[in-house]
Structure formats: structure tokens, C-alpha cells
Amino acid sequence: MYHNLFIDIPHGEKSIAFCSYKQPKKLVIFVHGFNGSAQSTWDDLPEIIQTQNSFSDADVIFYGYESLKSQANNMSISLFNLIDAATNISNMPYPDRGLSNGYCYDTITIVAHSLGAVVSRLALLYAYDSEVTWLDKCKLVLYAPAHWGSRLPQSFKECFTGSFKFIQAFAYTKYPILIDLEEDSKLLTELLENCKKIIATGKGDFLKAAKVVWAEYEKVVISKRFLEDSLQKQINKSTHVSVCKVNNSFTEPLTHLITVL
Amino acid sequence: MIAEIEISTKQTMNLVSLMEQYRNKGRAAIGANSLIKLIEQNKFSTLKVLLRNHEDRPVYKESELLFREGVDFLFKFYSLLEIAILTGYVPQPLPKLLQKEILSVLGNEQVKKYNTYFYPLLLPQLLFNAIENGKIQEPIGEPMPFLKLLLLDKDIDNDVENFLWLLDSGEFDDYNLDDFKITLKNIDTIESILERKIKERTIEDSIFWGFLKYTEYLNKVGDLLKKNENNKLLCSALWHYNGYWFQRVYKTLKTSYKSCINLLEALSVESIQKRPIEQKTESNLLINEIIAQKNLISDSINFTTSPEHGKSLKRYYLLNNKAVNSIDFVLDFNFILTAFYGITKLDVTSNVLPDIRYPKILNHINNNYPSLSLAGLNIDRFYDVVPILNLVFKNKDTMGFVIFYLSENEISAVMIQTMQKRLLIFSSKINRIEEASQPLGIIVGGTNKIKYLLPSGSNQKLLTEYTEELPDEEEINELLNTVK
């Protein structure tokens, strides 16, 4: 195993952090999507990273937030607060590993699914405006990103799974976030424009996703390349929900991620 | 900074983290501080009251509830610690200070009663047993499933705790499980619960959400058990972490739980059918998905809560020689009674004729305890004891213990003497001690209190002190004839 017992962190909803036993060089933050949760969105990934050498020198955060009860902008500010705090290890309730107060990670990788991709890019825009020092260390890895929104936002209810499938029957009213995720919504249009502007200045590499992974059976979001994001990949026989889930019999999402770490 | 960290160092770091998160803060820390203080001050009667069975006298006072909640969280830590040991996640032996705490807390008589009899928890008993005997426990598996168990535990939030409180006969301002079932029968109520903003949620809403979340939790734990089904002992240890709740669902609430799921399915379908006609295809698909999901959930609840998972570790505890040697009179008997006998006992009534009743007993023993050396029988008349003993020991070579739970309130000295005689006869004439995988013995319980535990191996002295003349060969044959 490569990490200490996970720790609850005081950001978002049920967020947890795995601290490397070794001196950490990377910070990896996982951000779920609509109706996801810190862990379940990624299935068995929190355990599987314990056996992956690529994560041996990484502190890993599985970030959770209330995706049904607020708007994307609010979600992005909360995420920014977490990233900003996590980049300074002394801010975090981590076990003592003998690291100096000003210790810095070499890279910060934000791995996001669906709505999480929108929230993450918004958080990075917020970071840009805040002139933080860590922005040029950031990389984005996106699974089924929702940055073009959805032609049928109700389709996001596909994200109710397991026992919560029952809720789909009742949950027919609009969640506030679904307005943000409509195709050409005001929020998504602004996101696109702001990203364009910054990329045009030549200082926006942090906004270009290093990897984008789509589901073959994508029915929820519009599948289309976003600005200068890297070449897109696709996972066969996966859906919007399963494209980022990793377990012992389905490791393809992890394989894509590891190439970027 | 160490580049490559030794396994033992990692284990020590894991233990420190485990203690920091599950022992030294929050409700476990509150429970530990209060409990240890009372134990150190020898507040025997206070502990007896605070750690009583809530079925004997309900617990309503806020301070008592907080104390017991803290104590439960401390035991939860001990359970986790035991699995961590069994999976090699933390080092052995444990630090001396921690060992001392465990011996003091789990060795306390009132605490023993609380977590072996009133609310049986096997894992803390294993932990205590190992430390008391200075035993280093052999790992039974890898740490990864333990980590998964801890991760799944994050799903147990306030909503789930409220739901579990209801399952445990608790109430919120007179709102109890029956009221919750009524809530589930009303489609309008459910719709309003689902639409209510989080800040406006009532306790009833929270219980409903807790019910859904716990159902999902059962699914996930079921998956974890399935993934580890090749390692029955580990699977069993993981099951026992939730064993109390699973047994509660299985024994007393499975039917209610299933009907709740059925009802929710019916309500979901009804709600979908109200949708506009243009959404018919989409609605039908969703209905099919929900019905399929309901079946999966029902299967999963049956699977996850099944006490079968718990048996391997119980056997490990009971059949391990060292563990058996440590069994003493009242407390471990209580454990055995609740752990084994409560689930698999057979009710034997003297109203049924002997030629029907005794074959039925034998079938029960052969079917339910094929590999066990322990059986439980609930009898309503003492005079059934001797024929049953004859029958069981004669027909089942591996049978060591038979537990009798008598409906009669008191067990008299005469009854005990009769059974002691029977034991001596079997010990000497049938030479079963060598044949049985357990020492021959009879465990006897009454309706209210457990009276005697008579394992012939560790308690031979008690038996041989009995001086009354033994029945002769003829009398034995006569007795044996009664069971033909």
C-alpha cells in the first residue's frame, strides 16, 4: 500500500484525502459530477490507487460536494478553496511527514467527471483571477465533461443509480444545476468565452485538458471537443455514468489517467 | 524523510491514524473518557445502570443516550482494530498503553455483559481474548478489504443513524418504526419529502433518506462480501463489523424492510405512470429499471444480512482450543447463547408425541449442525433433557455441546444433578471426550438467567465431586430405549 489511512478533510461534502507514505510530489484531486459523491463516482479507485505505483508519491483527494442543491458557480468557489488550501500542506490535517511549512507539490492534477469538469474549469478561472501561484502546475483530466451541456438536461437523472433509482420516479422537478447545464446556457457560454480569452493570451495552458475521455454510449451530455483540449479518447461499451468507474475488472479509465500523471 | 518505508513503520503509522480518527476524537473519545473514568473509580452500580439492556428498562435520558452512544463508538473502534489486526494493517503486539485500556474496558464485568449478552459483538471479544492470553493473531487476509469497509462506512451519516435508531426500537417524539411504515404508504408524503429543501427537512424526512442510504449501504457491503467469498474467515470478520445491525434486520425486520422496498417500488411506478403520455416509452423503461433494481436490492438485503456470514468467525473463536479454554462461566455462555443458539435453535414441545418429536430433533441437528459440535434446543419440559442427550450423543459423533434453553423459569439443583449424572455416564461409557471435536458438555439456560455451564474438559472437577450413585447399566438401557 502507498498511502496512510484516509483522512476526512473539512472541505465540501464527505471529502477524504490519502496521504502518501513517501514524500509527495503530486497532488491529485478527483471531482465528481451530478449526484455523484466523493468516492462512489470512482467505484473502487480509492483502494486501487493503493496498488498503483503512479500514485505512490501522490497525495490524493476525493472531493465531494452537494451537486443537487446549488449552482455551478458556488460549487466552483468551494472547489477553489479546497485546491488553494491543499496546495499548502500545512493547511491540511495530514499526519506529520517531516515536510517543511512551505512544501510545494510539483504537479496538481484535477480529475473530473461530467458536471465536475465544468466546476473544475470554473474553479481554475477563479484561481486565475485570484492570481494564485500554483496555477501553472495544474493539469485537467476529464471524463464525459459537461462543458457543452446537454440537449435534454433531464437525462442527468441517469446519474441516480442503485437504491436511489426509485427517486428518479419522483425527482421530476428541476434541480438548479440543470439550468446551468442546458445547451448554450448563460453559464456555459460565459465559461467558453472566458476560456477563449485567457487561452488567446498564451497563459491559459492550465485550461486545456491534458486528457478527455468519452463514453461510447454517451446519452447525457453533448460530446464535442472543447477549445484546445487534448485529443479525445473513448471507452467502448461505457456509459456516461460508468466511464470513470474503476474496479478490478474495468481499469481502462485508470489507464488513461496514469498516462497523464 | 525516508524514501522506502518499512512495513512495520507503515503499520505503526496506520495504527496512529486509526486511533486519531476512530478513537481519539468525536463520540468514541467522549465514550472512552466517561467509561474509563467510571471503571477506574469502581462505579459498579452506575455502570450497571448505564449499561443495562434497553429492553429491561428503556433509555430516554439525554445524558444516558450520549454516554451509550459514546461507548458504542468506542466498541466500534475496537471492532475495527481487531479487523485491522486480522488483516495485518496494524502492528502486533499493540502498544502497552492501548493493551492496558482494552483489558480494563473489555474486561469489566458490566461491559462484558453489555457487549456479549445484551448487544453481542464478537470482534471486541476476539481482541480482548488475544490480548488477555498474550496471543499474536495470525493474519487472515490482506488489508484492502478492511480499507474498503472503512470507506463504505463514510456512507453512515446522520440520516442513516436516525433510521437505525428507529430500527433499534428508538423513537423521535413518539415517531417510531410503525409510523415510518405509514409514511412509506403515502405517495404525497414521499413526494414532499423528496422535494423539501435540505434546510427545511424534518426528522421524518431524514429517516426516509437514511432508509434509502442504508439500503444502498447494504448493497455495497454485499458486494464487498461477494468479492471476498473465497476467504470465509475474512468475509465473516467484515460481516461482524455490522453484525449487530444485520442480525436485527435479518431476524426482526427483514419482512418489514422488504415490504418497504416493495412499497417504494409500487409508489415509484405509480408516480411514473402519472407522467404525460408523450413520455410513455421513457416511463416504461424507467419502470422496468426500477423493478429490476428492486429485485436486486431484495436479493442483496437477504444476502448481506444473512447470519451465515458470521458463522466462520464464531467457529474460529469457539473451536480454537485456546479460545475455548478461556471460556468461563457466565459471560461466554451468554455469548454462545446469543451467537449460535439464538439463530439456529429448535423449539421442542412436549405436546408432540415422542415418536415424532425425537426424529424431528435428530433431523434438525443433522441438517443445521453438520460440521458443528454445538446445538441449541428450546424445550418446555425438563424431562426431555435426558432422552434428547441420549439421542444426540448416540447418533452424532462430533457433537460436543448441547445447549438446552428451558422454558421453565428456574432450574433446580435436582435437574442439574440429573444432567451431571448423564454426562458422567456418557463420559465413561461412550468415551465421547476423545471422539467429539469439543469436550462433552451441557450448557443450560433458563428463561431469565443462565445457570450452569458444564464442559467436562475444563470442569471435570465439578462433575467428579458429585458423589451420588450413578444409574446402573439396566437403567441406562431403559433410558436409551425411550428414544427408539
Side-chain angles (χ1 to χ4, degrees), chain A residues 1 4-6 8 14 16 21-23 39 44 47 51 97 162-163 165 167-170 172, chain B residues 1 3 5 10 14 17 21 89 144 148 150-151 154 194 209 216 219 227 271 275 279 289 293:
Chain A
M1 294 178 81
N4 213 309
L5 183 64
F6 60 85
D8 296 332
K14 296 184 183 174
I16 51 171
Y21 288 123
K22 295 202 294 192
Q23 182 171 335
Q39 294 174 52
D44 292 340
E47 306 107 83
T51 58
R97 290 173 288 177
S163 310
K165 199 97 196 155
I167 293 180
Q168 265 202 76
F170 301 95
Y172 205 60
Chain B
M1 176 57 58
I5 296 173
K10 284 183 182 178
N14 293 340
S17 295
Q21 293 191 64
Y89 191 70
M144 217 60 90
K148 182 70 178 177
L150 288 176
L151 285 166
K154 307 298 291 177
L194 292 169
W209 283 105
E216 188 62 16
N219 279 335
K227 275 181 193 167
S271 175
R275 289 183 181 181
Q279 292 172 12
E289 281 179 28
Q293 193 61 38

Side-chain angles (χ1 to χ4, degrees), chain B residues 162-211:
Chain B
N162 287 340
F163 171 65
L164 292 178
W165 173 243
L166 225 63
L167 278 191
D168 208 15
S169 321
E171 292 183 356
F172 292 98
D173 293 333
D174 291 337
Y175 185 85
N176 59 29
L177 195 63
D178 291 333
D179 299 314
F180 177 60
K181 286 179 199 163
I182 294 169
T183 299
L184 276 175
K185 285 180 185 167
N186 190 322
I187 190 164
D188 295 330
T189 312
I190 290 183
E191 276 180 331
S192 58
I193 288 174
L194 292 169
E195 282 175 8
R196 203 136 39 225
K197 287 178 185 166
I198 197 160
K199 282 180 188 164
E200 295 164 4
R201 278 189 190 166
T202 62
I203 191 73
E204 288 88 343
D205 299 352
S206 167
I207 290 161
F208 176 82
W209 283 105
F211 162 74

Side-chain angles (χ1 to χ4, degrees), chain B residues 29 32 55 114 183 264 282 337 371 390 438 458 473 475:
Chain B
E55 284 173 2
Y114 185 82
T183 299
L264 198 55
E282 190 198 330
L337 186 79
S371 58
N390 289 338
Q438 285 275 295
S458 58
E473 197 68 36
E475 194 187 334

Side-chain angles (χ1 to χ4, degrees), chain B residues 344-359:
Chain B
T344 51
K345 72 184 168 64
L346 174 72
D347 289 327
V348 180
T349 169
S350 54
N351 292 335
V352 179
L353 291 170
D355 56 344
I356 296 174
R357 145 162 125 247
Y358 296 132

Side-chain angles (χ1 to χ4, degrees), chain A residues 103-194:
Chain A
Y103 186 82
C104 289
Y105 295 106
D106 295 344
T107 61
I108 300 163
T109 307
I110 301 168
V111 187
H113 174 238
S114 184
L115 163 67
V118 175
V119 173
S120 299
R121 250 197 261 257
L122 285 170
L124 292 180
L125 286 173
Y126 192 91
Y128 179 80
D129 291 339
S130 307
E131 298 178 356
V132 295
T133 53
W134 44 262
L135 206 48
D136 56 355
K137 294 178 181 177
C138 288
K139 285 189 274 189
L140 277 173
V141 177
L142 309 178
Y143 294 89
H147 40 226
W148 292 109
S150 172
R151 294 191 182 103
L152 193 65
Q154 298 95 304
S155 311
F156 274 99
K157 286 170 193 154
E158 185 181 308
C159 305
F160 287 108
T161 55
S163 310
F164 290 88
K165 199 97 196 155
F166 295 115
I167 293 180
Q168 265 202 76
F170 301 95
Y172 205 60
T173 51
K174 278 198 170 179
Y175 293 101
I177 189 64
L178 293 186
I179 299 170
D180 284 342
L181 292 174
E182 281 173 9
E183 185 182 17
D184 299 327
S185 73
K186 201 173 172 200
L187 179 109
L188 294 179
T189 310
E190 272 182 24
L191 172 70
L192 178 69
E193 291 309 315
N194 289 337

Side-chain angles (χ1 to χ4, degrees), chain B residues 19-241:
Chain B
M19 288 191 68
E20 272 176 7
Q21 293 191 64
Y22 293 90
R23 160 67 181 82
N24 296 343
K25 70 176 187 187
R27 289 177 281 189
I30 294 170
N33 290 343
S34 322
L35 184 59
I36 290 168
K37 202 170 164 187
L38 289 172
I39 291 171
E40 282 174 353
Q41 292 173 353
N42 292 320
K43 301 275 187 187
F44 178 81
S45 48
T46 311
L47 279 170
K48 196 174 175 182
V49 173
L50 287 172
L51 297 177
R52 68 184 177 273
N53 186 347
H54 77 278
E55 284 173 2
D56 292 341
R57 208 176 91 197
V59 182
Y60 286 119
K61 267 193 207 167
E62 187 69 23
S63 55
E64 282 188 300
L65 289 169
L66 283 174
F67 173 82
R68 289 166 68 106
E69 185 182 58
V71 168
D72 289 341
F73 269 81
L74 180 65
F75 295 156
K76 190 172 168 168
F77 164 69
Y78 292 149
S79 293
L80 286 175
L81 183 59
E82 175 61 14
I83 307 177
I85 289 171
L86 292 173
T87 54
Y89 191 70
V90 296
Q92 288 189 82
L94 294 171
K96 285 216 159 39
L97 210 59
L98 182 57
Q99 286 194 41
K100 196 179 156 197
E101 174 193 303
I102 292 165
L103 287 176
S104 158
V105 171
L106 295 178
N108 178 276
E109 287 303 304
Q110 295 310 315
V111 170
K112 275 189 176 182
K113 246 188 200 174
Y114 185 82
N115 69 12
T116 62
Y117 188 38
F118 300 151
Y119 311 99
L121 296 171
L122 180 60
L123 293 162
Q125 291 182 64
L126 279 172
L127 179 68
F128 175 76
N129 230 32
I131 294 174
E132 194 187 34
N133 295 320
K135 205 167 80 175
I136 298 292
Q137 300 188 73
E138 288 292 322
I140 58 172
E142 294 295 311
M144 217 60 90
F146 169 66
L147 184 64
K148 182 70 178 177
L149 186 73
L150 288 176
L151 285 166
L152 291 182
D153 220 31
K154 307 298 291 177
D155 290 344
I156 305 294
D157 61 6
N158 202 34
D159 292 338
V160 176
E161 283 181 4
N162 287 340
F163 171 65
L164 292 178
W165 173 243
L166 225 63
L167 278 191
D168 208 15
S169 321
E171 292 183 356
F172 292 98
D173 293 333
D174 291 337
Y175 185 85
N176 59 29
L177 195 63
D178 291 333
D179 299 314
F180 177 60
K181 286 179 199 163
I182 294 169
T183 299
L184 276 175
K185 285 180 185 167
N186 190 322
I187 190 164
D188 295 330
T189 312
I190 290 183
E191 276 180 331
S192 58
I193 288 174
L194 292 169
E195 282 175 8
R196 203 136 39 225
K197 287 178 185 166
I198 197 160
K199 282 180 188 164
E200 295 164 4
R201 278 189 190 166
T202 62
I203 191 73
E204 288 88 343
D205 299 352
S206 167
I207 290 161
F208 176 82
W209 283 105
F211 162 74
L212 273 187
K213 290 176 189 175
Y214 195 64
T215 309
E216 188 62 16
Y217 179 75
L218 290 175
N219 279 335
K220 290 178 182 173
V221 174
D223 288 344
L224 177 65
L225 297 178
K226 278 175 195 157
K227 275 181 193 167
N228 292 284
E229 63 189 353
N230 290 336
N231 185 341
K232 287 215 177 325
L233 211 48
L234 175 64
C235 202
S236 194
L238 297 170
W239 186 89
H240 272 285
Y241 177 61

